[in-house]
Amino acid sequence: MVTLGCSKNLVDSERLMAMLRRNGFNPRHDPPEGSVPAPVVVINTCGFIGDAKEESVNTILEYAQARTSGRVKHLYVMGCLSERYRDELRAEIPEVDEWYGKFDWNAVVGKLHGDNPAVTPYERIITTPSHHAYVKIAEGCNRFCAFCAIPLITGRFKSRPVEEILREVGELAERGVKEFNIIAQDLSSYGTDIYDGRMALPELIDRMADLPGVEWIRLHYAYPAQFPMEIADVMARRSNVCTYLDIALQHINDKVLANMRRHIDGKATRALLAELRRRVPGIHLRTTLMVGFPGEGEAEFEELLDFVREQRFERMGAFAYCEEDDTYAALHFEDSVPQQVKEERLARLMAVQEEIALESNASKVGRTLRVVIDREDADYYVGRTEWDSPEVDPEVLVKKTCRLSPGEFIEVTVEEALPFELIAVPNA
């Protein structure tokens, strides 16, 4: 099983692996570089932006060549890329046995075994380190931002029931999972489609925090418009809900936000951030910003730079606008900002953020922090604070003054700060 793209894709791969295991297969996830391919390979693709689509196509071609040479007997492709471009891909890469989309991938089991077993909506094989897992609470999106193809791929927003999610988290906790990263394309809308318009995220997280064994709950991919502010009160009140929020803002200039169809302006964005910081002292905000969207001139970009300097986001990622087929922006705007200008703006934005990240980390020197250990390297144990999500955020390099194990929570004292790492010593 090869998974490309986001953690939401990873959850789908884990569910398919559980179905395959129910039918007597022995699924392995992302075989190491240079290993002998398995008789059957399933690739779960990403189709969000240009670089991700290119990676998906290159991976399919790599395994298609392995199938031609006889090292792979059967090759199946699923996920976002094949949801959007199934017919084109089928014509271009005939070595693939069958193409599945974003929602019909469970048919892989029937293709291989002739049966499709009944499994719960949350039964899966965890492929992350055993102490943390992703929990997908909804699928799809109703926002239809001008630049984004996700609603075209996943369809309308669809929440999972609260009780079903709590059963999943409870069972994972019984299996030893301690850290739960809650994900959806749009956390802010959770529950509105199944609970008569009620924003149910605060209730869900509050009840989740009561479950035995749940050490950390972390929230990913909130939307700034129609934000359920009561979640901030839950975060402030519950010690095992991390004071961390991933909320993609994309821009601050009113004209650019309007063209992006983000349903919020700069003033409301600033008010939202101020209220979050007021209700949750010490909260660490992760955001994603975009440069080079049609209509972003130098003045609009400078406004974005000033916004980043003003807000001092503890965590930030950014990317250059990439036109996506059939989106509102592709149909209504000219991709007018030259690629070189996009890349220069992206570099300038990230240079500003690197200085801010270093200052944020430097403020932690001398402090005692709670850290979960993820792995052991040659010179350090590598862990994370509650403000660091797996794979995307900084890590804590813990000196080897005592024996530690993955999944262990310890207190450390920070001795040194780098832009994207802390160096710490375990407390006696």
Side-chain angles (χ1 to χ4, degrees):
M1 188 81 219
V2 178
T3 303
L4 304 170
C6 67
S7 52
K8 295 181 286 293
N9 266 11
L10 183 64
V11 171
D12 291 342
S13 292
E14 292 175 341
R15 290 186 61 203
L16 177 57
M17 290 172 66
M19 292 180 180
L20 290 168
R21 184 170 61 183
R22 281 280 189 118
N23 269 300
F25 293 94
N26 182 28
R28 293 182 296 127
H29 192 255
D30 281 349
E33 190 78 22
S35 66
V36 177
V40 178
V41 173
V42 182
I43 303 172
N44 190 356
T45 58
C46 179
F48 179 44
I49 58 175
D51 289 346
K53 289 190 283 191
E54 181 179 358
E55 180 188 16
S56 291
V57 170
N58 288 339
T59 302
I60 295 168
L61 291 173
E62 175 188 347
Y63 281 98
Q65 185 176 15
R67 188 181 184 283
T68 299
S69 66
R71 292 182 296 140
V72 169
K73 185 176 180 181
H74 295 292
L75 177 60
Y76 302 97
V77 177
M78 59 182 274
C80 294
L81 187 75
S82 54
E83 179 71 29
R84 289 206 79 193
Y85 303 107
R86 190 179 325 206
D87 292 340
E88 297 95 320
L89 290 166
R90 181 181 284 114
E92 292 292 330
I93 313 177
E95 294 86 354
V96 174
D97 288 277
E98 191 54 76
W99 301 85
Y100 301 94
K102 182 67 178 169
F103 300 105
D104 60 344
W105 45 260
N106 55 345
V108 172
V109 181
K111 187 75 172 181
L112 288 171
H113 193 264
D115 187 23
N116 196 344
V119 297
T120 66
Y122 49 85
E123 182 178 348
R124 54 195 172 107
I125 295 175
I126 299 299
T127 61
T128 52
S130 60
H131 57 279
H132 72 80
Y134 296 98
V135 178
K136 182 161 58 171
I137 66 171
E139 191 69 85
C141 185
N142 292 349
R143 303 287 187 169
F144 290 97
C145 299
F147 54 83
C148 184
I150 293 298
L152 304 176
I153 298 170
T154 63
R156 305 291 287 183
F157 187 82
K158 185 177 181 180
S159 302
R160 295 173 56 199
V162 166
E163 298 300 335
E164 178 183 289
I165 296 168
L166 294 178
R167 283 196 298 272
E168 175 182 8
V169 171
E171 290 189 10
L172 288 172
E174 289 176 358
R175 291 162 55 183
V177 177
K178 304 173 184 178
E179 174 186 355
F180 297 86
N181 292 288
I182 310 304
I183 58 174
Q185 193 61 40
D186 172 16
L187 283 184
S188 299
S189 295
Y190 175 73
T192 55
D193 57 318
I194 59 175
Y195 298 122
D196 297 323
R198 179 167 57 88
M199 293 179 174
L201 184 67
E203 174 197 340
L204 172 68
I205 300 305
D206 202 26
R207 293 181 61 187
M208 192 181 296
D210 281 332
L211 297 176
V214 175
E215 294 277 353
W216 278 351
I217 301 168
R218 190 180 291 106
L219 303 179
H220 279 277
Y221 320 127
Y223 197 90
Q226 296 87 47
F227 180 81
M229 188 55 72
E230 292 78 9
I231 191 63
D233 300 328
V234 175
M235 191 178 291
R237 187 175 71 251
R238 306 303 297 254
S239 62
N240 57 349
V241 179
C242 299
T243 53
Y244 173 106
L245 181 67
D246 189 334
I247 181 167
L249 300 175
Q250 306 303 349
H251 218 279
I252 192 61
N253 176 263
D254 285 346
K255 181 183 75 172
V256 175
L257 287 170
N259 287 345
M260 286 180 169
R261 306 177 86 194
R262 291 290 289 173
H263 319 293
I264 194 170
D265 61 15
K267 181 180 179 180
T269 299
R270 286 185 167 90
L272 169 64
L273 298 177
E275 184 66 7
L276 283 168
R277 293 196 185 278
R278 186 188 72 80
R279 293 197 189 200
V280 190
I283 190 173
H284 280 44
L285 296 175
R286 161 169 277 282
T287 196
T288 305
L289 301 173
M290 181 190 296
V291 301
F293 188 80
E296 183 195 67
E298 190 62 26
E300 289 78 16
F301 174 68
E302 288 290 344
E303 185 177 346
L304 181 63
L305 280 179
D306 289 343
F307 174 65
V308 171
R309 295 187 186 103
E310 160 203 317
Q311 292 294 327
R312 313 199 72 74
F313 295 105
E314 290 81 7
R315 310 283 183 258
M316 193 196 85
F319 62 102
Y321 170 70
C322 175
E323 186 174 271
E324 293 293 314
D325 297 339
D326 301 321
T327 58
Y328 184 91
L331 297 173
H332 293 86
F333 299 124
E334 179 186 356
D335 188 3
S336 55
V337 181
Q339 186 62 32
Q340 181 179 349
V341 174
K342 293 178 185 177
E343 292 172 3
E344 289 172 353
R345 289 177 183 172
L346 182 60
R348 289 167 61 191
L349 183 64
M350 293 311 298
V352 169
Q353 178 59 26
E354 184 170 348
E355 294 178 3
I356 294 169
L358 178 57
E359 290 181 15
S360 176
N361 272 356
S363 71
K364 298 176 175 64
V365 173
R367 291 179 58 184
T368 295
L369 302 177
R370 190 171 187 237
V371 167
V372 64
I373 300 300
D374 282 335
R375 65 186 186 277
E376 180 180 0
D377 284 350
D379 299 320
Y380 297 95
Y381 294 106
V382 182
R384 291 173 292 105
T385 71
E386 67 174 295
W387 306 307
D388 303 311
S389 194
E391 300 181 6
V392 297
D393 286 329
E395 294 178 318
V396 182
L397 306 182
V398 181
K399 294 181 178 180
K400 292 185 173 181
T401 61
C402 61
R403 185 66 190 166
L404 300 173
S405 302
E408 186 175 352
F409 284 80
I410 64 164
E411 288 194 340
V412 302
T413 298
V414 179
E415 293 188 333
E416 184 180 348
L418 303 172
F420 304 111
E421 290 175 328
L422 295 173
I423 298 176
V425 61
N427 290 4

